[in-house]
Amino acid sequence: YPTERIRNFSIIAHVDHGKSTLADRLLEITGTIPKDDKNKQVLDKLQVERERGITVKAQTASLLYNYKEEEYLLNLVDTPGHVDFNYEVARSLSACQGVILLVDANQGVQAQTVANFYLAFEKDLTIIPVLNKIDLPGAQPDVVIQQIKSLFDIEDKDIFRISAKHGTGVEELLKTVIEQIPPPSGSRENIMRTLMIDSAYNQFRGVIALMSVIDGSLKRGDKITSIHSTKVYEVQDVGYMHPDEVPTDALYAGQVGYVLCNIRDSKEAQLGDTYFTPGTKVEALPGFKSSKPMVFGGIYPSDQSEFHNLKLAIEKLTLNDPSVAVHTDNSPVLGQGFRLGYLGLLHMDVFSQRLEQEYNANVISTIPNVPYKVKVHGVKNIKKYGSEVVTILNPIHLPNESIIVEMLEPMVEGKLLFPDDYLGQIMDLVMQSRGEILDQKYIDNKRLLAKVKLPLNEILVDFFDMMKSVTSGYGSFDYEDAGYEVSNLVKLDFLLNSRPVEELSLICHRSRARTIATRVCEKLKDAIPPQLFLISVQGAVGSKILCREDIKPYRKDVLAKCYGGDQSRKNKLLKKQAEGKKQMRKIGRVEIPKDAFVKILRR
Ligand code: GDP
Ligand code: MG
């Protein structure tokens, strides 16, 4: 395919507005998959995607389509809609010249619609606005068109109306993609240059790279190298996604396809890296902006002997999801493990689920926290920590209060979209969450778009669920990083019979400490079984105890049911009790069943 007959585009939208369903119809119309009522989000290939019904990975499919008696090659990227996976969307857009921006005609413009529009707009991509779900009885196309007009300055006549579910208007939309989105600008006459846009690891085949060929061509047997790795590889197989892998002889400028070149070490394959022919001089492609982890959480193997396998699994999975930051960590109770940085809580859940499903890892996840910063004083302390401002990924590592000048917490700037009837509730919620409304405006005669600033930690707790609940499900929220602000933070410790349990320590705002302490103490009381002596469970800030629960003593007499004097039977029962104790973790004198720890640590 000459580049003039190639189109690279993505479908972007808020969660559930129909991206993956539209992708199904496009695959059918182009004969890529047979038409079948059973086709449901076929590009959502991961088990976690199918189970949750959401897209977490951007997926590429190459489609062939006859238009005005010429065959076109269309590379379609289906993207995730949730804010946690915005990084995935931004990355996909770097291989596209245009986007289809879907808006649900029933729900209207939502927070991620706005965020995604700007991602595409800032990259100067051609934007084709589309109203989806016009078949729904509750569809309000006129209202939604007004929203699109006022927010994005797009004319009514340029907005498509389709039903992705039934296929209405989809073929015309495809024709418009060909007419309006420009072909890629590279040329197959130029020296070869490709951008690695995605990769996955396969036990037998090594790294499977998804490459966007910017210039020249790439075929089996070619030697390639990359700016990052500098090693020379031989291309063993190339092909396109149709939607599964189909081998071809070569990939040419403008195409997107998979490349196998026997990369065995996942660290050599970096997303955003430029690959080229050894010996040629090429300029590095812009690559990708690195992502910034918003939430950190511990991951430990359930069984310490699995540590090495967990390490390998994390290395391979982060190849497919490079937005996860990896640090090693260890805990007196849980042993050796990792502290991973994620883009949000959903991202954290999805990543640990993928570890379990795709790599059979059995892991314990600890309470997540946002990265805090502290400013320390004294030349000696600054030297010890390497700088005056120290980032705290794990509350255990918080320096002693006596050397802290001030503590800072990460902030976000968010967009809230909701019907104006709920303004009062939203204002209350933002205030309770220690945030402020910076600005607000109408996007039609009913819906408000408010700009808010909030501490990231508040979003982590329950802001999103509360927002959904106070707006009866009509509100939506999107946010981005807004730096750090000084805050009145404290470290909350939990003590069992006066001994602190490090794994449970957390950092929170002073005004929240008592509520959180009470909640965790109650959970601990339920999770720890009674023992021979009284156990006190306390939550404390420094030496100040905020709450206390007691677990009354109790003795389980294993011999109670054993009548008669058969000593060997008694010994057997006592031995069994002793073995059960091995499953316990000792904190001071208090024994905690291992799975109770898991229960407390899990959210
Ligand atoms: P995504 O999150 O944007 O990928 O959305 P999906 O494609 O997963 O669709 C979300 C839900 O909307 C699914 O239940 C689809 O069946 C439904 N849906 C998608 N398009 C339409 C449409 O045109 N009409 C109707 N009635 N439902 C649709
Ligand atoms: Mg989807």
Side-chain angles (χ1 to χ4, degrees), residues 20 22 33 89 201 239 243 375 438 453 584 597:
S20 301
L22 175 60
I33 55 171
V89 181
Y201 192 89
K375 210 166 163 182
L438 303 176
K453 191 171 195 179
M584 305 284 225
F597 233 107

Side-chain angles (χ1 to χ4, degrees), residues 13-22 40-41 44 53-55 78-79 81 102 132-136 162-166:
H14 190 79
V15 187
D16 277 350
H17 282 201
K19 297 173 292 294
S20 301
T21 307
L22 175 60
K40 287 220 168 75
Q41 292 100 356
D44 287 344
I54 55 164
T55 309
D78 180 23
T79 63
L102 277 191
N132 187 28
K133 308 198 189 181
I134 51 159
D135 59 291
L136 285 177
I162 66 161
S163 163
K165 187 167 181 178
H166 302 300

Side-chain angles (χ1 to χ4, degrees), residues 52-93:
R52 292 176 181 243
I54 55 164
T55 309
V56 306
K57 273 298 288 181
Q59 288 290 350
T60 306
S62 298
L63 323 174
L64 300 176
Y65 186 67
N66 258 313
Y67 177 67
K68 294 195 175 156
E69 285 166 27
E70 292 208 272
E71 191 155 71
Y72 283 79
L73 174 67
L74 311 172
N75 296 308
L76 151 77
V77 189
D78 180 23
T79 63
H82 194 281
V83 53
D84 282 21
F85 307 109
N86 251 355
Y87 175 69
E88 203 50 37
V89 181
R91 198 151 50 75
S92 317
L93 293 188

Side-chain angles (χ1 to χ4, degrees), residues 255-267:
Q255 296 187 1
V256 175
Y258 72 90
V259 176
L260 285 179
C261 55
N262 206 18
I263 303 179
R264 288 281 153 188
D265 184 350
S266 47
K267 286 188 215 77

Side-chain angles (χ1 to χ4, degrees), residues 16 130 232 286:
D16 277 350
V130 180
V232 175

